[in-house]
């Protein structure tokens, strides 16, 4: 029953995450059309990485994982008022710390700009864009903490919708504000930077009413002497890297990419956007739901339920991520051309981005491992193990990045950076699984490995069909005289539809139990949606 609740909640989160990813694709398509992979777009990408990294370290990643177990334990042992008081103290401490951090960073950027004129000459818009977007660190990290509070109350829908506000604000800015800021890309990109800050304020403000209805009272309560608040920040320190290995690696990749080629950061950025779309549909949603559920099992000392929840979540996740990985690898070029090939995003930009997508695509099979294993460690209030492995992963990623940048041809150096991320996160994921096995016992590896084998075989059948179906559909649509973009859309979507059908039919012939997991989750999601509708009718 607990497994069903986890997957059903993940399906709810996945629905809103799907909305966010869809809006994100529209956002990125418009941004690619307006700015391409120009140097100023690369400057924006590098500048945006810094606040985004702090968001991952101190916001949704670390604080959520550190705060939820402490909040739930306080509520269970001392009651609701005590738990909300801890929440208020944590918000106060975080706001003070981040305000000071943002002020120091902005001042440091002013000093750096005057002390390193060569950097300003090579990337003239990098530091000004960073200064504009740094306040987003404060806003989005506080918003991430509010999301953690709502998740701890098993309210997942609103926090899952909140990221859509960034995409909506970004889209409206690119469409209606940027054209009035000037005629050059260098002038218009500043409108996008300010849109990021405005979106952070919206993401923070929209969650407050829901929390206040739950019992949270906004205000300033400074009390670092509270042992529970200190516990949150003590857990948060090592959690920051352990939960955010991907973001740290991406930041390292982006900085080295700016050194490798002026267009490389932008190419990697757009490639990552295609990668995050399937990953966000279930992996991020499942990770969000797993933490409070596993924390509850850990508080009761029920390792059997923890193992069962991990097994069910891992098999469901891999059953979806493996075909997504294979499909993206197979259709990298036509998908990139369809989504981003507009406006100034020319054929060269498509080629650079598609190569990065192909090297990133296998990562979908390993990125999701940490999404399951890391919440299990945090539920046990063990933050040191993911932290140490995270350090190892970052070291591997950086070492491989330097090797690839120095040895690979310029046209594919950025693809080497993508490959380094996949390798380092693969090491991180497998090591986490091995150590979790030693801690809890086997979560049923035999069932997991057999599920992986079935998914790989079904994905191979799917890939074979994709290779044949897409060119055939393209030739048919060209013969019918369809416009170029309609040819791309019809051939790609038609091939994807045929491939998905082939994958599920093959899985059904192999009698894959994971197919039943997905079907059951969808059926329960429909029941959840239908129940309030019928209630309203009565």
């Amino acid at each position: 029953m607990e497994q069903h609740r986890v997957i059903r909640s993940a399906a709810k989160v996945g629905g809103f995450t799907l909305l966010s990813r869809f809006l994100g694709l529209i956002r990125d398509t418009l941004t690619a059309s307006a700015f391409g992979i120009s140097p100023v777009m690369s400057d924006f990408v590098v500048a945006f990485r810094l606040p985004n990294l702090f968001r991952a370290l101190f916001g949704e990643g670390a604080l959520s994982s550190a705060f939820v177990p402490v909040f739930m334990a306080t509520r269970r042992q001392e009651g609701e008022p005590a738990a909300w008081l801890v929440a208020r103290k944590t918000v106060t401490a975080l706001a003070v710390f981040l305000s000071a951090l943002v002020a120091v960073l902005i001042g440091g950027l002013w000093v750096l700009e005057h002390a390193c004129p060569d950097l300003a000459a090579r990337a003239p818009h990098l530091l000004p864009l960073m200064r504009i977007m740094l306040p987003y660190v404060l806003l989005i990290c506080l918003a991430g903490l509010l999301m953690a509070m709502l998740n701890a109350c098993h309210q997942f829908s609103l926090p899952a919708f909140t990221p859509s506000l960034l995409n909506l604000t970004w889209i409206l800015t690119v469409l209606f504000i940027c054209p009035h800021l000037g005629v050059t890309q260098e002038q218009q990109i500043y409108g996008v930077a300010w849109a990021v800050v405005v979106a952070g304020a919206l993401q923070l403000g929209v969650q407050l009413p829901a929390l206040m209805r739950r019992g949270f009272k906004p205000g300033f309560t400074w009390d670092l002497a509270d042992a529970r608040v200190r516990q949150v920040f003590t857990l948060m320190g090592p959690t920051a890297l352990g939960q955010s290995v991907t973001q740290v690696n991406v930041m390292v990749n982006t900085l080295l990419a700016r050194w490798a080629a002026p267009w490389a950061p932008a190419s990697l950025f757009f490639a990552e956007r295609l990668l995050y779309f399937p990953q966000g549909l279930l992996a991020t949603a499942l990770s969000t739901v797993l933490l409070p559920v596993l924390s509850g099992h850990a508080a009761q000392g029920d390792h059997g339920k923890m193992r069962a929840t991990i097994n069910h979540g891992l098999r469901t996740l891999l059953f979806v991520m493996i075909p997504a990985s294979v499909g993206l690898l197979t259709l990298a070029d036509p998908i990139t051309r369809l989504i981003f090939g507009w406006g100034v995003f020319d054929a060269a930009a498509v080629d650079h981005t598609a190569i990065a997508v192909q090297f990133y695509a296998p990562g979908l099979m390993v990125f999701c491992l940490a999404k399951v294993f890391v919440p299990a460690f945090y539920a046990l209030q063990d933050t040191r193990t993911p932290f140490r492995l995270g350090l190892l992963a970052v070291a591997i990623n950086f070492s491989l990045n330097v090797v690839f940048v120095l040895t690979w041809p310029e046209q594919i150096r950025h693809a080497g950076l993508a490959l380094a991320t996949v390798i380092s996160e693969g090491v991180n994921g497998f090591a986490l699984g091995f150590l979790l096995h030693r801690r809890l016992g086997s979560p049923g590896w035999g069932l997991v490995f057999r599920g992986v084998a079935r998914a790989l075989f079904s994905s191979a059948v799917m890939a074979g069909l994709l290779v044949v179906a897409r060119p055939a559909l393209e030739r048919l649509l060209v013969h019918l005289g369809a416009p170029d973009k309609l040819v791309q859309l019809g051939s790609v979507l038609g091939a994807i539809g045929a491939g998905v059908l082939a994958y599920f039919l093959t899985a059904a012939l192999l009698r894959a139990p994971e197919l039943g997991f997905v079907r059951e989750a969808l059926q329960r999601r429909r029941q959840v949606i239908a129940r309030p509708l019928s209630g309203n009718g009565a």
Side-chain angles (χ1 to χ4, degrees):
M1 192 68 180
E2 189 69 42
Q3 297 169 355
H4 297 159
R5 184 162 67 91
V6 171
I7 299 300
R8 184 171 68 248
S9 297
K12 290 182 182 179
V13 177
F16 285 104
T17 305
L18 174 61
L19 172 64
S20 178
R21 300 299 179 184
F22 177 72
L23 292 172
L25 278 181
I26 297 175
R27 177 199 84 182
D28 296 330
T29 299
L30 293 170
T31 305
S33 175
F35 301 102
I37 56 172
S38 60
V40 71
M41 184 63 203
S42 287
D43 285 347
F44 174 83
V45 168
V46 178
F48 185 53
R49 291 295 190 204
L50 184 61
N52 220 34
L53 174 64
F54 281 106
R55 174 199 59 77
L57 292 177
F58 301 115
E60 298 170 14
L63 258 177
S64 175
S65 301
F67 174 80
V68 169
V70 174
F71 179 83
M72 294 187 70
T74 303
R75 186 168 60 180
R76 185 177 297 110
Q77 297 166 8
E78 303 179 40
E80 291 279 343
W84 287 118
L85 181 59
V86 169
R88 179 168 165 166
K89 292 176 181 179
T90 304
V91 170
T92 300
L94 181 65
V96 170
F97 168 74
L98 289 177
S99 297
L101 175 65
V102 169
V104 169
L105 288 174
I106 291 176
L109 290 177
W110 279 106
V111 173
L112 182 62
E113 186 173 13
H114 290 87
C116 300
D118 291 341
L119 175 61
R122 184 174 181 179
H125 302 281
L126 176 58
L127 298 182
L129 287 169
M130 276 189 179
R131 285 198 300 270
I132 291 173
M133 288 188 283
L134 271 173
Y136 181 69
V137 173
L138 170 63
L139 298 169
I140 197 59
C141 289
L142 289 175
L145 181 55
L146 300 192
M147 292 170 68
M149 294 180 194
L150 289 171
N151 288 336
C153 298
H154 293 278
Q155 183 172 340
F156 301 107
S157 298
L158 179 60
F161 167 74
T162 300
S164 297
L165 294 173
L166 172 63
N167 295 328
L168 287 169
T169 306
W170 192 319
I171 289 169
L172 294 174
T173 300
V174 172
L175 285 176
F176 301 111
I177 296 179
C178 286
H180 299 287
L181 298 178
V183 295
T184 67
Q185 295 176 342
E186 289 77 9
Q187 294 169 318
Q188 294 177 1
I189 198 68
Y190 286 90
V192 183
W194 283 109
V196 170
V197 179
V198 171
L202 291 174
Q203 288 174 286
L204 176 63
V206 76
Q207 297 180 91
L208 276 174
L211 274 172
M212 292 171 67
R213 286 194 296 271
R214 291 277 182 170
F216 177 70
K217 296 179 181 179
F220 188 91
T221 304
W222 178 261
D223 186 8
L224 288 183
D226 191 317
R228 296 159 301 184
V229 176
R230 292 201 307 271
Q231 184 182 8
V232 171
F233 286 96
T234 300
L235 290 172
M236 187 192 72
T239 299
L241 182 58
Q243 181 78 359
S244 308
V245 173
T246 301
Q247 292 294 337
V248 174
N249 284 339
V250 165
M251 183 69 189
V252 172
N253 287 5
T254 304
L255 292 173
L256 288 174
R258 191 65 178 87
W259 173 39
W263 42 261
S267 295
L268 286 173
F269 173 79
F270 289 117
E272 290 155 14
R273 305 318 299 168
L274 294 181
L275 199 74
Y276 291 155
F277 186 80
Q279 186 178 353
L281 297 186
L282 186 58
T284 302
L286 187 62
S287 177
T288 300
V289 173
L290 275 176
L291 179 59
V293 173
L294 290 172
S295 296
H297 294 330
Q300 297 168 5
D302 196 335
H303 289 180
K305 285 187 177 180
M306 288 189 72
R307 290 194 297 269
T309 301
I310 291 168
N311 177 278
H312 198 266
L314 192 60
R315 290 167 66 190
T316 304
L317 200 53
L318 288 169
F319 184 74
V320 175
M321 290 297 108
I322 288 175
S325 173
V326 173
L328 196 56
L329 178 65
T330 307
L331 297 177
D333 187 87
I335 288 177
T336 302
R337 183 176 292 106
L338 170 65
I339 295 177
F340 297 133
W342 304 79
V344 300
F345 205 93
D346 56 17
V350 169
D351 290 340
H352 288 314
T353 304
I355 291 172
V357 170
Q358 290 177 320
F359 279 82
Y360 262 137
L364 283 174
M365 291 186 275
V366 295
F367 295 164
C368 65
L369 298 179
K371 297 291 187 180
V372 176
F373 296 143
V374 170
F377 280 102
Y378 292 161
L380 296 168
Q381 298 197 17
D382 175 8
T383 59
R384 288 182 295 177
T385 298
F387 171 69
R388 291 168 179 169
L389 291 177
L391 283 178
L392 175 62
V394 171
I396 292 172
N397 181 63
F398 181 78
S399 302
L400 291 175
N401 278 341
V402 173
V403 171
F404 293 151
V405 167
L406 293 177
T407 60
W408 284 32
E410 182 180 4
Q411 295 301 308
I412 59 170
R413 282 177 190 164
H414 65 302
L417 302 180
L419 178 61
T421 300
V422 173
I423 294 173
S424 62
E425 295 220 33
V427 172
N428 183 57
F430 288 121
L432 285 168
F434 173 75
L435 294 178
L436 190 63
H437 171 95
R438 292 179 60 181
R439 176 74 64 86
L440 296 176
S442 172
W445 293 119
L447 295 173
V448 173
F449 292 147
R450 286 194 289 274
V452 169
R454 287 188 293 264
L456 287 172
F457 181 82
S458 301
S459 297
V461 173
M462 176 194 73
L465 180 61
L466 292 176
V467 170
V468 174
R470 195 202 63 79
L473 288 170
E474 185 176 67
R475 288 192 296 269
L476 175 62
L477 291 170
V478 169
H479 178 73
L480 294 174
D484 187 42
K485 273 298 176 183
L486 188 58
V487 170
Q488 295 177 25
L489 179 65
S491 61
V492 170
L493 293 185
I496 290 175
V500 169
L501 182 62
Y503 177 78
F504 283 116
L505 285 177
T506 306
L509 290 174
L510 295 175
R511 297 185 178 181
E514 296 80 12
L515 185 61
F517 296 168
V518 174
R519 184 188 306 115
E520 186 177 82
L522 294 175
Q523 289 173 346
R524 288 180 174 272
R525 176 167 172 77
R526 284 196 296 268
Q527 291 171 3
V528 170
I529 295 173
R531 195 175 298 125
L533 290 177
S534 61
N536 290 339

